[in-house]
Every structure is written in C-alpha cells, then in structure tokens.
Amino acid sequence: MEGFEIFIYICLVTAIAFFIVAMLLKRKKNDQFIGTIFLSFLLISVTIVIISFFIGGWSGMGIGLMGLSIFIGTIIGIVLTSLLQLFKIT
C-alpha cells in the first residue's frame, strides 16, 4: 500500500487550512463567512468526485480518492472548529 499516504496528506492539509481560515475569520469577527467557506470546500470535493466518474480507469479512481480526501478533511476541519467553539478555547 505504498503511495497512498498522499491521500492522508491531502486530508490533513485540507483540515488544517479550513481550521486556520476559520480561526482567522473568528478573530476578525467575520463568523458568517465560515459557512460559506465550508460549503465551497464541500462543493469542490463533490465536483471532483463527479468529474472522476467521467474520466474512468485508474486516473478517475485516483482523482475520486483526492476528492474524497478533501471531503474528509473538510469534515474534520469543521468538527475541530465546532469543538473549539463549543469549549470556547478561542
């Protein structure tokens, strides 16, 4: 299973990027844009997965896994942001 760590890295980078952007927006009191960013990340990941069905073959499967990694990273990022907001850490 060598080579699949790239999908974990994509997931982690997406989660960290979403988390950092959400924290920066909270500090500047622009909380209304967090939902917009969340929806845009989700739409991007779903679009990538849908495009992968039209490509087909191993390339399509790889692109689909990238879209799935972005989707999972977005969910992890929103959960972390929600947990920090729940416990009022930031």
Side-chain angles (χ1 to χ4, degrees):
M1 299 292 282
E2 268 185 51
F4 281 100
E5 62 270 358
I6 188 70
F7 300 114
I8 295 171
Y9 295 147
I10 291 171
C11 183
L12 288 175
V13 167
T14 305
I16 291 169
F18 182 82
F19 181 73
I20 289 172
V21 168
M23 289 299 112
L24 289 174
L25 286 174
K26 281 187 180 198
R27 286 192 180 169
K28 293 185 178 185
K29 308 292 185 208
N30 291 330
D31 291 341
Q32 69 268 16
F33 295 120
I34 294 175
T36 306
I37 293 172
F38 174 66
L39 286 176
S40 64
F41 269 92
L42 284 180
L43 285 175
I44 289 169
S45 66
V46 169
T47 304
I48 291 172
V49 170
I50 290 172
I51 288 172
S52 72
F53 289 125
F54 294 109
I55 294 174
W58 289 107
S59 299
M61 185 183 293
I63 292 171
L65 284 174
M66 285 183 210
L68 186 64
S69 297
I70 293 171
F71 180 78
I72 292 170
T74 304
I75 298 299
I76 291 170
I78 196 69
V79 166
L80 286 175
T81 305
S82 299
L83 285 175
L84 287 178
Q85 185 177 5
L86 179 69
F87 293 122
K88 305 230 189 281
I89 293 176
T90 58

